[in-house]
Amino acid sequence: MAITIKNQHDIEKMRIAGRLGSEVLDFITPFVVHGVTTEQLDKLCHDYIVDVQKAVPAPLNYAPDGHTPYPKSICTSVNHQICHGVPGEKILKNGDIVNIDVTVIKDGYHGDTSRMFCVGDASIQAKRLCDITYDAMWLGIDKVKPGATLGDIGFAIQTFAEKSGYSVVREFCGHGIGKKFHEEPQVLHYGKPSTGLVLKAGLIFTIEPMINAGKREIKQMPDGWSIVTRDRSLSAQWEHTVLVTENGYEVLTLSAGSPAAPSFINV
Ligand code: MF3
Ligand code: CO
Ligand code: CO
């Protein structure tokens, strides 16, 4: 499958899908508290997407090659879970950090975004990991413009994460997105400047770094989906869907409740 350049119609539809994805995260925010189960969060998001947004939760029954169909509508990755945490009976407790990853399909187009949430008061270390990962995502986003390369994005994320004392997960990456959930290109969160695909206006892809407080190695759990840090260190992730514009970028997954961009971003 080739890389697709989106036309004006596609871009309009991707703006809508992106905003809806972000609005699911706005909606779920007040429910991410001590005592809630990740399954309850999944049900709340599922019903909001289907009944209120009249959209489709893309993860539900998603079955890429080599995987059993994903059984839930969102991913909830808690503490040392890196990504693809499957909602279940796990009860969130004070001090947990959790990534909620939402992908909605509206009119055939996908909007993919995730945020970190602290349950009650997280430790200073856990909060720092979430903050550094957020800034790492935005440093990557800030590289996006025609003529820049995917390597520029990966390099910005990797150097910042590693100089902060953290490691970058290598096995999962950002991705092109549109009518398909996962399209080319792969957007690595590590790399070398001036290498890889040269960006062009009309490309849409996600940037979604997974940063570990400890070593970068991962382990897949027996459920066939959940990925955890091999050393059980904490892991954080943030994700936006981004359009390459004529002179830079447009983040498509923003809404009223999106956290402010870091102060180094000029808006
Ligand atoms: N939303 C994830 C991503 O950012 C993919 C989840 S696939 C699932 O690419 F099947 F686990 F939901
Ligand atoms: Co994604
Ligand atoms: Co996602």
Side-chain angles (χ1 to χ4, degrees):
M1 248 300 274
I3 293 170
T4 64
I5 295 288
K6 273 66 180 177
N7 63 31
Q8 207 48 46
H9 172 82
D10 298 327
I11 291 168
E12 295 296 336
K13 296 292 187 183
M14 288 297 285
R15 283 194 181 110
I16 294 167
R19 178 175 44 77
L20 290 175
S22 188
E23 284 176 353
V24 177
L25 293 172
D26 296 352
F27 159 77
I28 203 63
T29 299
F31 297 100
V32 187
V33 293
H34 178 95
V36 76
T37 67
T38 51
E39 209 155 50
Q40 287 172 321
L41 298 176
D42 176 74
K43 167 101 171 94
L44 286 161
C45 288
H46 173 277
D47 291 353
Y48 186 77
I49 293 166
V50 171
D51 299 335
V52 179
Q53 298 186 329
K54 314 288 183 205
V56 175
L60 189 58
N61 298 315
Y62 184 60
D65 279 348
H67 281 277
T68 55
Y70 189 79
K72 298 288 180 183
S73 296
I74 60 171
C75 299
T76 52
S77 303
V78 183
N79 295 335
H80 70 291
Q81 291 183 326
I82 297 170
C83 63
H84 305 165
V86 180
E89 287 164 21
K90 185 194 284 284
I91 299 170
L92 294 183
K93 59 178 199 311
N94 204 17
D96 284 343
I97 58 169
V98 54
N99 174 275
I100 300 183
D101 193 337
V102 167
T103 311
V104 302
I105 311 171
K106 182 73 173 181
D107 276 352
Y109 290 83
H110 292 72
D112 188 6
T113 184
S114 79
R115 298 181 197 159
M116 293 302 297
F117 298 85
C118 293
V119 182
D121 311 301
S123 68
I124 287 167
Q125 294 93 312
K127 278 194 262 189
R128 177 174 182 268
L129 175 65
C130 295
D131 290 348
I132 296 279
T133 304
Y134 187 64
D135 288 359
M137 173 187 69
W138 272 103
L139 284 166
I141 292 172
D142 206 35
K143 291 290 171 202
V144 174
K145 62 175 182 198
T149 68
L150 288 179
D152 295 337
I153 297 171
F155 181 76
I157 292 168
Q158 180 183 12
T159 48
F160 179 69
E162 291 179 354
K163 93 166 183 239
S164 304
Y166 299 145
S167 63
V168 176
V169 171
R170 305 287 179 105
E171 290 82 355
F172 297 89
C173 56
H175 50 91
I177 182 167
K179 289 183 186 158
K180 283 180 55 196
F181 194 164
H182 294 103
E183 300 181 351
E184 283 180 40
Q186 296 197 14
V187 180
L188 305 183
H189 302 112
Y190 61 94
K192 302 255 181 285
S194 306
T195 64
L197 182 75
V198 178
L199 304 185
K200 272 176 64 173
L203 276 171
I204 298 182
F205 51 82
T206 71
I207 298 179
E208 48 179 303
M210 285 142 275
I211 307 292
N212 297 347
K215 295 191 174 29
R216 70 174 175 84
E217 280 73 24
I218 69 164
K219 197 170 82 181
Q220 185 174 118
M221 296 305 280
D223 65 15
W225 279 102
S226 310
I227 305 295
V228 301
T229 56
R230 189 163 271 284
D231 64 7
R232 296 214 135 226
S233 64
L234 288 179
S235 187
Q237 178 179 31
W238 292 80
E239 175 175 26
H240 271 313
T241 300
V242 180
L243 163 70
V244 186
T245 62
E246 294 297 336
N247 38 25
Y249 62 84
E250 178 181 332
V251 177
L252 301 179
T253 37
L254 292 173
S255 59
S258 296
S263 52
F264 59 77
I265 299 293
N266 302 307
V267 268

